[in-house]
Amino acid sequence: MEPMNIPVPIESVPMARFFVNRASIVTHMSDHLFVHPEAQAWATILPQWHDLLVDATRRHNERSRLLQTEGISHCELYWLWGEAIGQEIREANSLRWMACLHNDLFLFFGTRAILIVIERSGNEWIIRTTFIPGLGNPSETKEARSQCQPRRDHFRPTSARHRRYRRYNEQHSKENQQRMERERNWSELEWYFHRVFRPAVRFLRNEHNTHRTSDGRIYISPLRDYRLLFPRLPHEIRHNVQFTTWREFRSRVGRMGETL
């Protein structure tokens, strides 16, 4: 598996390599596509892999195979993933949901809530990371990588006893019952908006608001550049975004109907 090149509709960045090498591809794929709850969002974005990514046992087994083969077993998934990233970059550029830092780093955020960071490395551009913010704890990823270990999947296969215990709690919690009843009536698109897009916007808002200097200015460091994106989102998205508003922006980039 060799890194592919993805076109970028920016004159100074005509092409970006989708991660620097195979090891980086495998790490990012393992830590994002195969980890709950982010895996649930990627399952919707990549319908060809939906059934596998939403099933904890199958996802665990497939992730193990990915790591054992160093990515060779998942070339098809990598290319489908890259295709989705290319689409998101084009849409983010069209909506101007993007930011730039010193002409060396570009950030993109699209209607499917995929955050993409492209960084200059010498004479070429590299996609440094791509993930869906707001799903999971970023510190877990950092800790796992510092220990050279895969990020923990919170929905690993469990024993029959634990599954029965979880079902009992779900069935007897009034709050869970109300939530489940409400979500049962959602379309796939409504689920994605409430469970993926809104948490992602919330993440960007928090990044923007919680990193300021004593005089109120936004502090930007090379490792914490996600906060640049929030001010670039339109007012309707930044402030109490509604499903109908999100759907309108989707239509502007040609995403119509009830599927992603």
Side-chain angles (χ1 to χ4, degrees):
M1 180 194 298
E2 294 301 322
M4 73 177 81
N5 289 319
I6 294 181
V8 180
I10 297 177
E11 184 177 352
S12 60
V13 192
M15 198 75 66
R17 192 193 307 177
F18 193 28
F19 298 113
V20 66
N21 52 38
R22 184 193 298 181
S24 184
I25 294 169
V26 172
T27 297
H28 281 80
M29 193 179 289
S30 171
D31 287 347
H32 295 289
L33 272 66
F34 287 95
V35 173
H36 178 85
E38 196 173 337
Q40 317 304 116
W42 287 111
T44 307
I45 295 170
L46 306 172
Q48 303 92 327
W49 285 74
H50 179 277
D51 293 345
L52 186 149
L53 291 175
V54 298
D55 185 291
T57 300
R58 294 180 64 189
R59 186 172 67 243
H60 172 71
N61 294 338
E62 202 69 18
R63 188 189 194 193
S64 299
R65 191 162 73 99
L66 167 75
L67 297 172
Q68 289 169 1
T69 65
E70 298 181 340
I72 295 177
S73 58
H74 288 73
C75 290
E76 178 190 0
L77 176 58
Y78 172 64
W79 284 94
L80 291 171
W81 185 25
E83 183 179 334
I85 297 307
Q87 292 172 349
E88 198 79 345
I89 290 173
R90 291 191 296 273
E91 293 176 9
N93 181 68
S94 175
L95 293 170
R96 308 311 295 171
W97 294 6
M98 52 180 289
C100 176
L101 180 63
H102 307 316
N103 290 320
D104 289 323
L105 184 142
F106 286 86
L107 299 98
F108 299 87
F109 180 76
T111 63
R112 289 184 293 185
I114 304 174
L115 194 158
I116 302 154
V117 180
I118 301 180
E119 187 174 32
R120 186 197 300 272
S121 177
N123 294 324
E124 62 180 342
W125 293 86
I126 306 293
I127 294 180
R128 189 178 83 193
T129 189
T130 175
F131 66 102
I132 299 175
L135 300 182
N137 188 343
S139 63
E140 292 183 357
T141 302
K142 294 179 183 177
E143 182 180 356
R145 291 183 183 173
S146 68
Q147 299 174 357
C148 298
Q149 295 292 328
R151 180 180 171 193
R152 185 165 66 94
D153 187 348
H154 291 277
F155 269 30
R156 293 177 66 99
T158 57
S159 66
R161 179 182 177 184
H162 286 167
R163 286 196 295 271
R164 287 194 300 269
Y165 178 76
R166 187 168 65 237
R167 283 198 299 269
Y168 177 86
N169 282 340
E170 290 175 348
Q171 292 168 0
H172 291 79
S173 166
K174 183 177 180 179
E175 181 180 345
N176 280 339
Q177 285 180 337
Q178 292 174 341
R179 176 182 57 79
M180 292 167 65
E181 181 63 30
R182 183 172 62 252
E183 294 187 8
R184 194 175 292 119
N185 296 320
W186 283 347
S187 66
E188 181 180 74
L189 206 61
E190 288 173 317
W191 174 88
Y192 200 91
F193 170 74
H194 290 287
R195 291 289 175 256
V196 180
F197 187 79
R198 289 192 73 175
V201 173
R202 192 179 306 123
F203 172 92
L204 295 178
R205 180 187 297 113
N206 291 339
E207 286 290 297
H208 175 73
N209 291 336
T210 59
H211 299 89
R212 294 177 180 270
T213 59
S214 58
D215 59 359
R217 291 179 301 172
I218 300 297
Y219 170 70
I220 302 297
S221 72
L223 299 178
R224 302 292 293 174
D225 40 48
Y226 308 140
R227 75 201 69 174
L228 290 168
L229 275 169
F230 186 69
R232 304 307 303 269
L233 302 180
H235 181 274
E236 310 94 293
I237 296 295
R238 287 186 282 119
H239 299 282
N240 193 30
V241 59
Q242 300 298 312
F243 176 69
T244 53
T245 304
W246 176 63
R247 193 166 54 183
E248 179 184 336
F249 277 103
R250 278 172 42 85
S251 68
R252 293 187 190 183
V253 292
R255 293 201 173 277
M256 308 291 289
E258 290 298 313
T259 60
L260 286 182

